Amino acid sequence: AAEVRIPRPGRFALAWRGPVGSLRGMSSPSTSSRRTFLASGAATLALASTTRLAAGTPPERDPAVVELVRGLVAANDDRIPGLLARQERRPGHRWLGGMLNEYGLHTPQNTSGFISALACAACAPGSKYYKSTDLVEPLRLAVAYMLAAQHPEDGTVDYFATNFHSPPDMAFIVEVVCPPCVLLRASPVPAFVALATELGKFITRGAAGLVTGGVHTPNHRWVVCAALASANGLFPNASYVARIDQWLAETVDLDPDGQYTEKSTTVYSPIVNRALITVARHLQRPALLESVRRNLEMTIFYVHPDGEVVTEASRRQDRYQRGSMARYYYSYRTLALHDNNGRFAAMCRQIERTARAQIGELAAFLTEPALLRALPA
């Protein structure tokens, strides 16, 4: 197979180093007996410290994850024909360019995933759609639909199942479409660069709504922060950062064991972890990683040998539902590399063994090349 070469937008490189402080109003975790016990039996770390990469030097890539990315590219390619067939293409239709959900409704949520899939295909070397102008018109229509579905007065969208004029649902969508905007903006194909400009209009209008809008559940605060941090990475705006600081002033809702308020091990805990990592990465706030670190340590105790995760304590819809650890892959890999943590690396490898088909991180690998670095032992 052809070597997969990953674009290296500098803004999205992992760049945290140095001590990690505690969050305001929260004490640093002490070393517990359980942690000491597990650490004593865990595999030893391969390196005592991580050698900094010289500027411009490609990182030592993990052959296992390079092969994983190849698989993700191929799987994404396989989806493209079906996605194109489902896009609304009837001329004159009110929601031209949109994607249907399971109830037959055109939604920004489904269309954001469509945009991500096509942008990844168009911008991933090794994809059979790489730089293919056949994807320009479907993407143009999809972005035009997103702008049409956006409420002009507040920049929000509707989530027909529950919420209307919904800032948090807009935040989830902004999280999805910012990486495609990064990829399209960096494309050597002018038509894709132009699409990034149009997609940027959707992002900035939505971010304006997030600066003033509210939330519905505890995790929504951190999703809004992540969306604003991602938008700020593309379109720097002091008001985005000021709103993030307002939410962070409430402090992260983490208990002494490392569990978030909603205790949702298959849905919202990994969402919160990813959100806090995103804010830390874009705004250089390494202290936020401490909450993620503590949650990932706790979550190890929730995992069965076959990779299933305990859900009995959840306060959300995943309670008593069977689920894998796939959604944690991004967080475990990020912290394994950042901390040189062999136990987190072992969790990554377990997820690769037990839930490989559920790892949906192609956009992350394409926009964050540091994730391709070799994991510690």
Side-chain angles (χ1 to χ4, degrees):
E3 182 181 10
V4 179
R5 296 186 181 276
I6 308 300
R8 295 170 51 82
R11 188 184 300 280
F12 284 78
L14 289 169
W16 319 301
R17 287 295 182 269
V20 177
S22 60
L23 291 168
R24 185 170 68 85
M26 298 180 63
S27 60
S28 299
S30 61
T31 303
S32 64
S33 59
R34 67 174 188 184
R35 185 170 299 176
T36 303
F37 172 77
L38 280 188
S40 67
T44 56
L45 298 181
L47 299 171
S49 61
T50 302
T51 303
R52 286 178 176 270
L53 296 170
T57 302
E60 178 190 355
R61 295 187 298 177
D62 184 343
V65 83
V66 170
E67 187 60 33
L68 173 63
V69 173
R70 286 195 182 102
L72 292 174
V73 170
N76 190 59
D77 282 357
D78 290 343
R79 297 173 56 214
I80 300 301
L83 290 172
L84 292 174
R86 288 170 44 213
Q87 185 183 31
E88 181 59 67
R89 301 295 291 270
R90 288 174 287 181
H93 194 282
R94 179 185 180 188
W95 300 126
L96 178 65
M99 292 291 287
L100 297 173
N101 66 6
E102 63 270 33
Y103 303 109
L105 301 173
H106 300 86
T107 71
Q109 289 78 12
N110 290 66
T111 308
S112 67
F114 175 85
I115 290 171
S116 180
L118 267 62
C120 286
C123 299
S127 167
K128 62 185 177 183
Y129 296 98
Y130 181 54
K131 296 194 287 188
S132 172
T133 55
D134 290 343
L135 299 184
V136 170
E137 183 62 7
L139 276 168
R140 186 191 69 78
L141 292 174
V143 174
Y145 160 80
M146 296 290 275
L147 290 167
Q150 196 170 30
H151 293 296
E153 62 271 30
D154 58 15
T156 63
V157 296
D158 295 331
Y159 180 47
F160 300 135
T162 36
N163 309 318
F164 295 80
H165 286 267
S166 175
D169 289 294
M170 184 66 203
F172 279 109
I173 292 171
V174 169
E175 277 195 304
V176 172
V177 298
C178 277
C181 190
V182 172
L183 293 172
L184 294 171
R185 179 189 275 187
S187 172
V189 180
F192 288 138
V193 177
L195 287 172
T197 300
E198 290 302 299
L199 188 55
K201 295 177 183 177
F202 176 83
I203 292 169
T204 54
R205 292 173 187 175
L210 300 183
V211 167
T212 57
V215 298
H216 306 133
T217 63
N219 75 84
H220 285 172
R221 295 171 296 168
W222 318 128
V223 175
V224 167
C225 288
L228 287 171
S230 296
N232 190 70
L234 285 161
F235 309 100
N237 188 313
S239 69
Y240 301 168
V241 180
R243 186 57 165 168
I244 290 170
D245 286 337
Q246 286 182 316
W247 287 121
L248 289 178
E250 296 188 359
T251 71
V252 178
D253 49 314
L254 196 76
D255 71 16
D257 288 327
Q259 182 64 285
Y260 298 113
T261 299
E262 293 166 291
K263 301 183 179 181
S264 173
T265 48
T266 66
V267 181
Y268 293 105
S269 289
I271 283 175
V272 172
N273 286 338
R274 188 186 201 101
L276 295 177
I277 289 171
T278 299
V279 178
R281 179 165 59 89
H282 283 294
L283 301 186
Q284 299 299 300
R285 305 283 182 88
L288 293 174
L289 297 180
E290 182 60 15
S291 291
V292 179
R293 187 175 293 112
R294 289 173 58 190
N295 180 260
L296 295 179
E297 287 282 1
M298 183 219 69
T299 303
I300 292 174
F301 294 87
Y302 278 57
V303 184
H304 293 291
D306 66 353
E308 184 179 332
V309 59
V310 171
T311 59
E312 284 83 347
S314 176
R315 295 180 174 181
R316 297 300 304 271
Q317 65 266 34
D318 58 336
R319 191 176 190 184
Y320 302 133
Q321 302 300 307
R322 298 186 68 172
S324 77
M325 288 288 293
R327 292 192 182 195
Y328 287 91
Y329 184 81
Y330 174 85
S331 300
Y332 273 114
R333 188 168 191 96
T334 300
L335 268 292
L337 293 168
H338 180 270
D339 294 352
N340 198 38
N341 187 316
R343 293 186 337 127
F344 289 179
M347 288 301 303
C348 290
R349 296 185 179 105
Q350 186 195 53
I351 295 169
E352 290 170 3
R353 290 195 309 271
T354 61
R356 191 179 190 89
Q358 301 170 45
I359 299 174
E361 298 295 348
L362 180 56
F365 282 120
L366 293 177
T367 54
E368 300 177 46
L371 291 174
L372 293 172
R373 289 163 46 207
L375 290 169

